[in-house]
Amino acid sequence: DIVRIFRWNMYTQFKAPENIIITREMQVVNNTSTWFINKKTTTLKTVEEQVAALNIQVDNLCQFLPQDRVGEFARLTKVELLEATEKSIGPPEMYRYHCELKNFRDKERELENLCKDKAYSLEKMKQRVERYKQDVERYHECKRHLDLIDMLQRKRPWVEYETVRQQHEEVKQIRDQAREELKNLKEMQSPLVKKIQETVESFKSLDKKIKCMAGEIKEVSQKCKQKQDALEMKDKQIEEINQAFRMKKDEEMDRRKKIISAHKMIEEWNDELSTASNCENLQPQIDAVNNELKHLQGERANIESDISDVTTEKNNQEREKRRIIDRIEQLNNIMSMKEETLRGKYQDTHSALMWLRKNKDKFKKTVCEPIMLVINVKDSRHAKYIENHIPANDMKAFVFESPEDMDTFLVETRDHQKLRVNAVCAPAVSCAGNLPSRPIEELHQYGFFSYLRELFDAPLLVMSYLCYQYRIHDVPVGTEKTRNMIEKVIQETKLRLLYTAEERYTIKVSAYTNLTFCSNVSLRAAQFLTNLVDTDERQQLEKQQQGINCTLQSLDMQLTTLLERRKHLERRDNELRQQKKELLERGNKRRQLESKIAVKYDSIKQLEQDAINLEEESQKANVKIKEINTQKARLVSELMCLIKHCVSLNMLKTDLVLQSTAVAAEKNRLELEYKAASTQLRASEQTFCELDEKKRVLTENCRALLKKARQMCKLGPDQHLPKEFQTAFQALPNTLEEIDALLNEEKCRASCFTGLNVVVVEEYNKQTEEIQQLMEDLEEKKKELDNYKQNISQVKERWLNPLKSLIEKINEKFSNFFSSMQCVGEVDLHVENEDEYDKYGIRIRVKFHSSTELHELTPYHQSGGEKSVSTMLYLLALQELNKCPFRVVDEINQGMDPVNERRVFEMVVKTACKESTSQYFLVTPKLLQNLTYNDKMTVLFVYNGPCMLETNKWNLKSFCRQRRRLGKMDEQ
């Protein structure tokens, strides 16, 4: 339950040459820690003090740089890099001076602002005191105007009271007169109301009788309407009988005309028949024409068959062409959607894509567009696996076959167009055909159904890069079954990375304890690869379209030839048919005439049989009309009786209406008189109420004004107006208009003295004293500010000169390191404003390609290897200047190419093995072969694995003795 976490030996030139061993033991059971220095128990605070005394800064990237923080070093701002460098290699007082300068500058700004504020306040106070002088002189003049205003305000309520009292007496007299007039009007209105009621009762009785009479008249009128409708129906019947007789008469006349016309036509045909010659023998000519027509019909049938076949084939080809065009359009729309997604999320990448498509001639070898565009997932449900496996930065990356082409692309897009784009280079030897470590069939029992590579299609260049970089050919994809048995899968398959239906599992095995650690994350939903485009299908469709176009062109030529031949045959066919028609007409003319004459005789015979007896039809019609007229006479007699009865009823109704009109006129006259009287009465009532209300209001106003006047003069209820007020009031105007005019005039004069009061003089004296005190404070702050400026100048000189010298040394070593690699690098002090000490920083600029310019080291511009090289060389430049006992760099060579790794390693050996430098720890999982080593170097190998001995059984001397003994045995 006790785990020994770490132990290190610190050899230092500052202490006696003895090892300082710091040990930490962690209790797993209760989660506590125990610290030791040289095997003696101590506290964490003591350990921290010991580490600080040796100038060991674990959080300073210039001293301790683990692998996962190389990118963080590149992300350090200029200010942060300066502070880290000061702490790492500068004298102890350098960083302290820097902090003091920043504090001094803050205090200096604070004092400058304070002096400005006090100077501004002093100037304002002086101006205010200057104004007070005039105010004191004007104060007494304003007092005289205010006294007059006060007396006018006292007299005004008395004048106002007297005015309202006189109005009250006048209104009271008018109100009493209105009361008498209202009483007389009410007495005159009672008889008129009684007459109106009697008239209304009489009008209602007459109206009831008129309604009864109107109902009876309506009933008789409906009966009259029925009789009139019956008469109209009889007239229609007579008209129908006459119309039928006229039609028979017209039919008979038409029959007779047809018979006469037929006889004339027969005579004409007989004349033509007598003049016609005998029929010639035309049969041989007709047979010849028939034979040629038969031959033409056979040839036309063949032509029509060929045309039908060619047309059918053409229609089929055109339908297939339209289907292919529609499908290509669908595929183009999907690709456009993917490009729109790219433009929406990565505008710079889309701009670079447009440039690439216009400038493909600038590249010597194959260039693939962003991976997210060229990948085509076979099933949209599998898109999430690819997007979770390939980082977003690589999904938008361009893939190049040649490094030179990639450099050309990056120079144009990054340096010239300032676009933030990603580009990768595929391996020289294609990895697209790499085989998995085991067949997928062996993993079916665990629910795995495929490797990642089989889930999508991509160009060989892209597939090669993904297999090389992300081993997609060896990452299996499973189902929910895999998730349910994940522990068994991890133990039995020894896989390091796998996918289930909704999760990604990463398995790591400790190199020290051989324990297995598993982590899993939920899969993100796919964003880029949901739109599927089958590139093979698209290429196949385009080939088919070209073939169909050639076929259609050939079919059009065949169809044109056949149509011209058919037109020629039709023209010859028409000529022969016309010739045959003329021959047949010459032979059949006599027979046709004889047949027509016989038909016409039959027609005449039929017409003579269809003769109509008009006299008999006329007699029948007259009998029917006479019967209908009898019925009409009876209906007219009944209608006349009903009309007479209706007339008598209307006369009675007219008498009643006349009586009702007279009563209504009388009623309206009385109502008008009543309305006029009522209007006059209401007007009188309203006038009385208004006068009474006005009297009440004036009474209240009088009381209120009298009370106000007494209050203004501060008089009691029974106290009379004092003589001094009476004397003062006599000298003042006696009307409200004059008082108000004088009051406004005095107020205007008094308003010219605004801001004056009784404490003006006191305020003037107080302000004078404050001005004197403020001048003394301002002088004191100015002296303090001058002292701060002098201190800043002294501290700045002690800080800046050594700092510039230190940075020049770093720049010299940094530039030399880069020059030895045929690259360029510079380090300088970046200053925006000499007085803003919190913005001073160290700027690192590098250039790895001869065709580019110096660029500042940032997290985005340089590649991972370039950042690692730049970081390592900067740390080497600090090595000889470093003041700490040792420095640690962890796996920084992992992102470098072999050439740069060898060069950097040689520089590390050369720099770290000098006498004046501190101890240097380089931790790495691997090194290149045939590297340059130094006698002052110590190489430590960490052995670990399941077969390692326990710690207490480790004996290096025993191992050496056994090795020598085995060597001797080999010699014998």
Side-chain angles (χ1 to χ4, degrees):
D1 59 347
I2 298 179
V3 180
R4 186 65 53 88
I5 297 301
F6 62 84
R7 171 181 292 177
W8 72 79
N9 297 342
M10 296 182 291
Y11 301 91
T12 172
Q13 56 188 344
F14 307 106
K15 300 288 183 178
E18 61 180 8
N19 293 344
I20 298 176
I21 302 175
I22 298 177
T23 308
R24 179 185 181 185
E25 291 184 355
M26 292 196 302
Q27 306 292 335
V28 179
V29 176
N30 53 10
N31 195 24
T32 59
S33 297
T34 306
W35 293 86
F36 301 88
I37 295 181
N38 293 334
K39 299 183 180 181
K40 295 181 179 179
T41 305
T42 186
T43 62
L44 175 60
K45 184 177 181 181
T46 305
V47 172
E48 291 174 347
E49 291 175 353
Q50 182 69 55
V51 170
L54 297 173
N55 195 28
I56 298 173
Q57 304 165 20
V58 179
D59 57 345
N60 190 337
L61 297 181
C62 291
Q63 290 188 10
F64 285 78
L65 185 63
Q67 178 193 11
D68 58 346
R69 298 187 68 184
V70 173
E72 185 177 340
F73 183 89
R75 286 193 292 271
L76 287 177
T77 64
K78 305 179 188 69
V79 176
E80 293 171 341
L81 183 58
L82 173 60
E83 292 180 354
T85 304
E86 287 177 333
K87 295 176 183 177
S88 177
I89 65 172
E93 66 275 6
M94 179 177 287
Y95 181 67
R96 178 168 53 81
Y97 287 155
H98 191 183
C99 294
E100 288 179 1
L101 280 173
K102 290 189 282 186
N103 294 332
F104 284 161
R105 178 56 184 160
D106 292 339
K107 186 63 176 178
E108 180 186 15
R109 279 196 295 265
E110 182 181 346
L111 288 172
E112 288 176 348
N113 294 333
L114 184 60
C115 289
K116 289 180 182 178
D117 293 341
K118 287 185 177 294
Y120 179 77
S121 300
L122 180 62
E123 183 63 26
K124 289 292 183 182
M125 291 179 69
K126 287 181 178 179
Q127 295 175 3
R128 194 179 305 119
V129 167
E130 189 64 26
R131 289 196 302 270
Y132 284 166
K133 289 181 179 180
Q134 298 177 0
D135 292 343
V136 172
E137 295 173 357
R138 294 165 58 203
Y139 173 76
H140 296 290
E141 184 178 357
C142 179
K143 185 77 167 54
R144 290 192 297 272
H145 292 292
L146 293 176
D147 291 342
L148 181 57
I149 290 171
D150 181 62
M151 192 56 65
L152 287 169
Q153 289 175 341
R154 290 174 184 269
K155 182 176 181 180
R156 192 180 188 286
W158 291 99
V159 176
E160 194 174 4
Y161 163 72
E162 183 62 24
T163 302
V164 174
R165 189 187 65 78
Q166 292 176 2
Q167 292 176 0
H168 174 267
E169 293 299 327
E170 294 175 359
V171 170
K172 181 180 179 183
Q173 184 177 0
I174 297 172
R175 187 205 63 171
D176 294 341
Q177 294 175 359
R179 181 188 295 168
E180 290 298 325
E181 183 179 353
L182 179 62
K183 181 178 179 183
N184 295 333
L185 288 173
K186 287 182 178 179
E187 292 175 353
M188 292 170 60
Q189 200 173 18
S190 297
L192 189 60
V193 173
K194 186 176 181 181
K195 288 181 180 180
I196 291 173
Q197 291 175 351
E198 293 174 353
T199 305
V200 169
E201 292 297 327
S202 176
F203 179 79
K204 288 181 179 179
S205 176
L206 289 172
D207 185 61
K208 185 176 180 181
K209 292 178 181 179
I210 290 170
K211 288 181 179 178
C212 292
M213 192 65 67
E216 191 174 352
I217 291 170
K218 183 178 180 181
E219 183 178 352
V220 174
S221 298
Q222 289 178 348
K223 291 180 180 179
C224 291
K225 181 67 170 60
Q226 292 174 359
K227 298 299 179 182
Q228 288 175 348
D229 293 341
L231 285 172
E232 290 177 358
M233 183 62 67
K234 297 301 178 181
D235 290 337
K236 288 182 180 180
Q237 292 176 0
I238 293 171
E239 179 62 27
E240 289 174 357
I241 293 170
N242 290 330
Q243 180 67 23
F245 177 73
R246 284 194 298 271
M247 289 176 65
K248 289 182 179 181
K249 186 176 180 180
D250 293 340
E251 185 179 350
E252 177 61 20
M253 294 303 293
D254 185 57
R255 185 187 67 81
R256 293 175 182 176
K257 290 179 181 179
K258 287 181 179 179
I259 292 173
I260 295 170
S261 175
H263 282 296
K264 288 182 179 179
M265 291 178 68
I266 290 173
E267 290 177 0
E268 291 175 358
W269 287 340
N270 284 328
D271 295 339
E272 186 178 353
L273 186 61
S274 63
T275 59
S277 60
N278 293 328
C279 180
E280 302 175 2
N281 187 11
L282 303 175
Q283 191 60 39
Q285 298 180 31
I286 293 173
D287 292 341
V289 172
N290 285 335
N291 290 333
E292 190 173 354
L293 280 172
K294 185 176 181 181
H295 176 71
L296 283 175
Q297 287 175 357
E299 189 173 354
R300 284 182 64 189
N302 294 332
I303 293 293
E304 291 294 338
S305 177
D306 292 343
I307 291 174
S308 176
D309 293 342
V310 173
T311 304
T312 301
E313 179 63 20
K314 181 181 177 181
N315 292 336
N316 292 336
Q317 292 293 331
E318 287 179 344
R319 279 196 299 272
E320 182 64 16
K321 181 180 178 180
R322 285 195 296 272
R323 183 190 69 78
I324 291 172
I325 290 174
D326 292 342
R327 181 56 182 162
I328 291 175
E329 229 178 78
Q330 291 177 3
L331 296 177
N332 288 338
N333 289 339
I334 295 173
M335 182 59 70
S336 299
M337 291 169 62
K338 295 177 76 171
E339 290 183 11
E340 285 298 320
T341 302
L342 176 67
R343 182 168 65 177
K345 291 186 175 293
Y346 308 110
Q347 180 63 46
D348 285 1
T349 304
H350 186 270
S351 300
L353 173 64
M354 295 299 102
W355 178 87
L356 175 65
R357 289 178 176 175
K358 296 177 182 178
N359 298 274
K360 285 191 175 181
D361 57 329
K362 296 184 178 181
F363 303 99
K364 299 177 181 178
K365 294 188 178 181
T366 305
V367 181
C368 287
E369 295 181 355
I371 293 177
M372 64 177 288
L373 295 183
V374 300
I375 280 182
N376 185 41
V377 183
K378 297 178 181 179
D379 190 333
S380 59
R381 294 173 299 177
H382 299 155
K384 59 184 178 182
Y385 300 121
I386 292 93
E387 289 196 23
N388 279 271
H389 192 72
I390 303 174
N393 283 340
D394 269 6
M395 288 293 291
K396 63 176 181 176
F398 296 81
V399 183
F400 291 83
E401 184 179 3
S402 166
E404 291 77 11
D405 286 346
M406 184 173 73
D407 290 342
T408 302
F409 176 76
L410 292 177
V411 168
E412 174 62 33
T413 55
R414 288 184 179 177
D415 297 344
H416 297 168
Q417 300 184 29
K418 306 302 181 184
L419 299 177
R420 296 177 62 181
V421 297
N422 288 358
V424 296
C425 189
V429 179
S430 177
C431 299
N434 286 3
L435 297 176
S437 57
R438 70 193 83 182
I440 191 64
E441 289 77 14
E442 294 184 8
L443 300 177
H444 283 172
Q445 59 178 318
Y446 304 109
F448 293 103
F449 61 89
S450 175
Y451 286 105
L452 275 179
R453 181 175 59 184
E454 278 66 43
L455 298 181
F456 66 93
D457 295 323
L460 286 178
L461 199 64
V462 174
M463 191 68 78
S464 173
Y465 171 74
L466 296 179
C467 289
Y468 173 77
Q469 186 67 23
Y470 298 108
R471 298 186 59 79
I472 58 173
H473 61 284
D474 205 26
V475 178
V477 181
T479 59
E480 193 62 31
K481 176 183 177 181
T482 312
R483 170 68 181 84
N484 295 335
M485 55 188 305
I486 190 64
E487 293 183 1
K488 181 180 179 182
V489 171
I490 294 172
Q491 292 174 1
E492 296 182 1
T493 63
K494 307 300 181 183
L495 292 170
R496 294 296 175 262
L497 180 63
L498 59 91
Y499 288 89
T500 64
E502 298 295 337
E503 293 175 319
R504 166 178 169 160
Y505 285 82
T506 304
I507 301 96
K508 295 182 179 179
V509 178
S510 172
Y512 304 101
T513 63
N514 203 32
L515 296 177
T516 301
F517 300 94
C518 176
S519 63
N520 65 304
V521 293
S522 298
L523 300 181
R524 305 185 310 274
Q527 300 179 7
F528 307 118
L529 303 179
T530 53
N531 299 319
L532 308 183
V533 179
D534 192 338
T535 54
D536 292 340
E537 180 187 3
R538 182 175 178 179
Q539 293 174 359
Q540 186 66 27
L541 289 172
E542 289 174 350
K543 291 180 181 179
Q544 292 179 12
Q545 186 179 9
Q546 293 176 359
I548 289 174
N549 288 336
C550 295
T551 303
L552 285 173
Q553 188 175 0
S554 175
L555 291 173
D556 286 338
M557 294 174 62
Q558 295 179 28
L559 187 61
T560 302
T561 304
L562 291 171
L563 289 174
E564 289 178 356
R565 179 60 182 162
R566 184 178 70 176
K567 187 175 180 182
H568 172 72
L569 293 175
E570 288 176 350
R571 187 164 54 249
R572 180 58 183 162
D573 184 85
N574 292 334
E575 293 174 354
L576 292 173
R577 289 184 183 279
Q578 182 63 29
Q579 185 179 351
K580 181 181 177 181
K581 181 179 179 183
E582 292 175 354
L583 293 172
L584 290 173
E585 286 178 352
R586 287 168 58 188
N588 294 333
K589 189 172 183 181
R590 184 177 181 83
R591 288 193 297 273
Q592 290 176 355
L593 289 173
E594 292 173 350
S595 177
K596 287 180 179 180
I597 290 171
V599 171
K600 195 56 78 171
Y601 274 122
D602 292 338
S603 177
I604 291 172
K605 185 179 180 180
Q606 183 64 38
L607 288 171
E608 289 176 347
Q609 291 177 359
D610 294 338
I612 298 173
N613 190 346
L614 293 177
E615 185 177 355
E616 183 181 349
E617 293 295 331
S618 177
Q619 290 176 359
K620 290 180 181 179
N622 289 333
V623 171
K624 291 180 181 179
I625 291 172
K626 185 177 180 180
E627 183 180 354
I628 292 172
N629 284 333
T630 302
Q631 296 173 2
K632 282 179 66 179
R634 186 171 61 254
L635 289 171
V636 168
S637 176
E638 293 174 356
L639 178 61
M640 291 303 295
C641 293
L642 290 171
I643 290 173
K644 289 179 181 179
H645 182 56
C646 184
V647 169
S648 62
L649 290 174
N650 277 308
M651 291 176 66
L652 293 174
K653 179 183 175 184
T654 303
D655 291 339
L656 291 172
V657 169
L658 291 173
Q659 294 177 22
S660 175
T661 303
V663 172
E666 180 65 17
K667 173 175 166 289
N668 291 335
R669 185 185 65 78
L670 292 173
E671 286 178 347
L672 288 173
E673 291 181 2
Y674 177 77
K675 186 175 181 181
S678 297
T679 302
Q680 187 178 3
L681 179 62
R682 284 195 298 273
S684 297
E685 288 178 345
Q686 185 176 359
T687 302
F688 173 75
C689 292
E690 289 175 353
L691 291 171
D692 189 60
E693 178 64 20
K694 189 174 182 180
K695 173 184 173 297
R696 185 187 63 77
V697 171
L698 289 173
T699 302
E700 292 178 357
N701 289 344
C702 284
R703 292 173 182 169
L705 290 171
L706 180 60
K707 182 177 179 182
K708 180 180 178 182
R710 287 182 173 277
Q711 288 177 350
M712 290 293 293
C713 295
K714 298 181 182 179
L715 299 177
D718 301 328
Q719 189 176 1
H720 296 288
L721 189 66
K723 290 185 178 180
E724 58 270 20
F725 283 158
Q726 295 178 9
T727 303
F729 287 169
Q730 289 176 358
L732 298 175
N734 294 321
T735 63
L736 287 174
E737 291 77 7
E738 293 175 344
I739 290 175
D740 289 339
L742 182 58
L743 189 60
N744 289 332
E745 181 181 350
E746 292 300 319
K747 283 183 178 180
C748 288
R749 290 178 178 176
S751 65
C752 297
F753 302 94
T754 56
L756 299 179
N757 52 44
V758 71
V759 296
V760 172
V761 177
E762 296 176 1
E763 185 66 22
Y764 174 79
N765 296 332
K766 182 180 178 182
Q767 290 289 330
T768 304
E769 294 176 359
E770 290 180 356
I771 287 172
Q772 185 62 31
Q773 182 63 38
L774 190 58
M775 290 174 65
E776 294 175 0
D777 292 344
L778 181 59
E779 188 65 26
E780 182 180 350
K781 292 299 179 183
K782 285 183 178 180
K783 291 180 181 179
E784 186 176 354
L785 178 60
D786 292 339
N787 292 334
Y788 262 102
K789 288 183 177 181
Q790 186 176 359
N791 291 337
I792 289 174
S793 177
Q794 295 173 357
V795 175
K796 180 180 180 180
E797 184 177 356
R798 291 196 296 269
W799 170 73
L800 189 57
N801 292 336
L803 177 62
K804 288 181 178 179
S805 175
L806 182 64
I807 292 176
E808 287 176 359
K809 295 177 182 178
I810 296 173
N811 178 51
E812 180 182 357
K813 296 180 180 298
F814 188 75
S815 300
N816 292 337
F817 289 146
F818 262 84
S819 297
S820 65
M821 297 175 61
Q822 285 77 45
C823 300
V824 180
E826 291 183 0
V827 177
D828 60 4
L829 181 64
H830 180 74
V831 181
E832 294 181 0
N833 185 342
E834 290 189 359
D835 294 333
E836 299 298 331
Y837 304 105
D838 55 347
K839 295 182 181 179
Y840 276 64
I842 288 180
R843 179 175 60 180
I844 300 176
R845 297 191 299 165
V846 295
K847 182 174 75 170
F848 286 90
H849 305 283
S850 59
S851 58
T852 60
E853 299 176 355
L854 278 171
H855 287 284
E856 186 175 339
L857 182 65
T858 65
Y860 312 107
H861 191 277
Q862 289 79 15
S863 65
E866 292 172 349
K867 287 186 286 190
S868 297
V869 171
S870 302
T871 302
M872 194 65 188
L873 295 185
Y874 183 78
L875 297 179
L876 288 176
L878 304 183
Q879 175 67 17
E880 296 183 11
L881 306 173
N882 209 347
K883 303 299 182 182
C884 65
F886 61 88
R887 295 171 60 240
V888 179
V889 178
D890 180 22
E891 297 191 20
I892 197 168
N893 58 332
Q894 293 306 295
M896 301 181 190
D897 58 84
V899 175
N900 286 335
E901 183 178 352
R902 185 174 297 278
R903 290 174 178 173
V904 171
F905 185 83
E906 291 175 356
M907 294 180 192
V908 171
V909 173
K910 182 178 178 181
T911 304
C913 293
K914 292 181 180 179
E915 292 292 338
S916 60
T917 60
S918 57
Q919 192 174 5
Y920 199 96
F921 288 91
L922 174 63
V923 182
T924 177
K926 58 91 178 178
L927 286 174
L928 298 175
Q929 295 182 355
N930 300 321
L931 292 174
T932 301
Y933 294 93
N934 190 291
D935 293 339
K936 296 183 180 180
M937 293 174 58
T938 301
V939 181
L940 301 177
F941 292 93
V942 178
Y943 296 96
N944 199 0
C947 300
M948 285 299 297
L949 292 175
E950 296 179 3
T951 306
N952 55 6
K953 296 181 180 180
W954 183 269
N955 191 330
L956 183 59
K957 294 181 180 179
S958 174
F959 299 155
C960 293
R961 286 196 300 270
Q962 292 179 13
R963 183 69 189 89
R964 286 194 294 270
R965 187 162 54 250
L966 291 173
K968 292 179 180 179
M969 292 174 63
D970 292 339
E971 291 175 359
Q972 295 174 359

